[in-house]
Amino acid sequence: MARIKTKEIERETTVEKVEKILTGAMQEFLAHGYAGTSMDRVAARAGVSKATVYSHFHDKEGLFRALIEQSAHKKFEDLFDKSLLEGEPKVVLRYLITTALDGMLSDQEHQAFVRILIGESGRFPELAKAWIHDMMTPPLKIICEYLDSHPELNIPDSEATVRMMIGSMVHFMMTQELLHGKEIIPMETERLVECLMYHILK
């Protein structure tokens, strides 16, 4: 019994350390960019040894990829609850679009992370590919499957339709928030939601 408790404590300690490392890494990447962040900085920020960082993450790229996976998990944990995808398209799609947009526009850390990813993508294309794989591909597949399960919508190309939907939302987030354009080309979120709903459901 004592051994089981000891193992549970060790497991909890490991989870806590990983969480500290990821939190410290995010802070360092946001402050110094990918190229300017070192494993030494991450260890210091997380309050752990450099050896501890390397015991969980082989290198800086692995650490950055872990942050992408964590970010994707947080974004999709509630958004794609299976029970929420069983309703009528006009309800489900409005929920998905509205919730995703609200998350994109309100999450400052996510926006800052995207800025770094875009800025570093030229020098580190594998990181950008990891983002596409973990952050963009899952919702594309899930929503495509949902649309395909509703032939009454008469959508000829579900993948192109979902790309249009996601692309519109990403463009909205980038022009309104990332590129500070909401005072230049302002638009209410609801207008975009209604337009997307119209083109998908017509």
Side-chain angles (χ1 to χ4, degrees):
M1 191 72 175
R3 287 183 179 179
I4 294 174
K5 286 186 177 180
T6 301
K7 286 183 178 180
E8 288 177 353
I9 292 171
E10 288 176 353
R11 200 175 296 118
E12 288 174 6
T13 303
T14 298
V15 170
E16 288 174 1
K17 284 183 179 179
V18 169
E19 208 45 55
K20 282 184 178 180
I21 293 169
L22 289 173
T23 299
M26 178 63 83
Q27 293 170 344
E28 284 298 311
F29 284 126
L30 294 183
H32 306 288
Y34 182 78
T37 294
S38 67
M39 297 295 260
D40 287 312
R41 281 179 176 272
V42 171
R45 176 85 73 158
V48 300
S49 68
K50 187 176 177 180
T52 298
V53 177
Y54 276 109
S55 70
H56 294 291
F57 306 97
H58 295 302
D59 52 28
K60 186 167 68 172
E61 182 177 333
L63 183 54
F64 197 86
R65 282 173 175 266
L67 284 173
I68 292 175
E69 290 175 8
Q70 182 190 60
S71 181
H73 178 72
K74 286 179 179 177
K75 289 291 180 189
F76 304 141
E77 190 172 25
D78 296 322
L79 187 60
F80 292 113
D81 186 300
K82 286 186 178 180
S83 63
L84 296 173
L85 296 176
E86 295 174 355
E88 295 181 18
K90 64 180 180 181
V91 175
V92 172
L93 292 172
R94 181 177 293 278
Y95 166 78
L96 290 177
I97 294 169
T98 302
T99 305
L101 266 177
D102 287 345
M104 287 181 183
L105 299 174
S106 63
D107 191 339
Q108 299 295 315
E109 183 176 271
H110 177 74
Q111 292 173 20
F113 196 62
V114 172
R115 282 192 182 97
I116 290 173
L117 193 71
I118 293 172
E120 304 281 20
S121 62
R123 289 185 293 174
F124 306 103
E126 292 306 313
L127 298 179
K129 290 179 181 179
W131 177 269
I132 295 296
H133 181 272
D134 293 338
M135 185 63 75
M136 303 302 289
T137 304
L140 179 65
K141 289 182 178 178
I142 292 170
I143 303 173
C144 277
E145 289 174 2
Y146 177 78
L147 294 182
D148 287 338
S149 70
H150 288 273
E152 73 274 13
L153 294 175
N154 294 316
I155 294 175
D157 189 330
S158 59
E159 182 181 348
T161 299
V162 178
R163 284 182 179 230
M164 177 191 75
M165 184 178 84
I166 295 175
S168 296
M169 291 191 290
V170 172
H171 176 271
F172 188 79
M173 183 265 288
M174 290 186 67
T175 56
Q176 299 298 289
E177 300 295 335
L178 292 190
L179 301 176
H180 312 287
K182 57 186 172 186
E183 293 181 2
I184 303 170
I185 48 172
M187 178 184 284
E188 297 82 8
T189 304
E190 188 60 26
R191 284 180 60 192
L192 180 62
V193 174
E194 291 300 329
C195 188
L196 287 173
M197 290 293 293
Y198 169 77
H199 285 292
I200 295 171
L201 298 178
K202 70 175 182 178

